Amino acid sequence: PSNLERLNRWSCAYRMFQDKPLLGFGPGTYTYQYGPYQLPHEMSIISTSSGNIGGVHSEYLRPLSESGLPGFLLYVTFILIAVYQGFYVYFHSKNAEIRLLAMAVLLGVVTYFVHGLLNNYSDFDKIAVPLWSFVAILSALKIKGRKLEGTD
């Protein structure tokens, strides 16, 4: 039932995107808007008829349904920049400690983004804080690496 409900929620998010592809329904509105987008044959035993609880279970489909194509593209751009930043620090730093820390943090970020395909936790502070901290650490490592090498 849990997996069927996940598929139901993903389908709803996609249909919501099709309905409002440019601006979506607004940040934080998926939970309150997906109900009418459920199809009876996709609903599971844990589905709600009113569709007023739960999330989309995808870090990628949430911005697509809530912010439309621009929001989705901004989120993907954020991911690409974060991953690029990690690889940049790892491959360009001559300091072994910075390289090691950059790889560890990059692995944490990539783990989050891969897991985001199947679930979304950025609404929860216990998960959002480490994510944003990892991104900040990668930025700080890039700056520190440049200062240590005298290129800044």
Side-chain angles (χ1 to χ4, degrees):
S2 178
N3 289 335
L4 289 175
E5 184 60 20
R6 189 177 304 265
L7 294 173
N8 175 36
R9 302 281 177 92
W10 291 347
S11 298
C12 291
Y14 184 69
R15 284 190 286 276
M16 288 170 68
F17 162 70
Q18 288 178 315
D19 199 21
K20 293 187 177 187
L22 290 180
L23 298 176
F25 284 79
T29 59
Y30 174 84
T31 299
Y32 310 104
Q33 299 291 327
Y34 81 92
Y37 291 90
Q38 296 183 97
L39 299 178
H41 68 277
E42 291 179 348
M43 294 174 72
S44 70
I45 61 172
I46 58 176
S47 297
T48 62
S49 297
S50 59
N52 61 357
I53 58 171
V56 68
H57 295 287
S58 173
E59 286 289 348
Y60 301 90
L61 292 175
R62 187 174 54 99
L64 189 66
S65 65
E66 293 181 355
S67 302
L69 190 60
F72 173 76
L73 293 175
L74 283 171
Y75 185 70
V76 170
T77 301
F78 165 70
I79 292 168
L80 294 175
I81 289 171
V83 172
Y84 172 80
Q85 187 92 319
F87 278 115
Y88 181 89
V89 172
Y90 180 77
F91 286 114
H92 287 89
S93 179
K94 293 179 176 88
N95 185 302
E97 290 177 0
I98 289 178
R99 287 177 55 126
L100 182 64
L101 186 56
M103 182 53 67
V105 172
L106 178 61
L107 287 173
V109 167
V110 169
T111 299
Y112 177 85
F113 290 135
V114 169
H115 183 74
L117 291 168
L118 302 173
N119 220 330
N120 63 307
Y121 287 121
S122 62
D123 294 341
F124 301 105
D125 56 352
K126 292 178 182 176
I127 302 298
V129 169
L131 170 66
W132 291 105
S133 297
F134 285 162
V135 173
I137 289 169
L138 289 174
S139 297
L141 288 174
K142 184 176 180 181
I143 293 168
K144 183 174 182 170
R146 285 181 174 175
K147 286 183 179 180
L148 287 174
E149 295 164 13
T151 59
D152 195 29

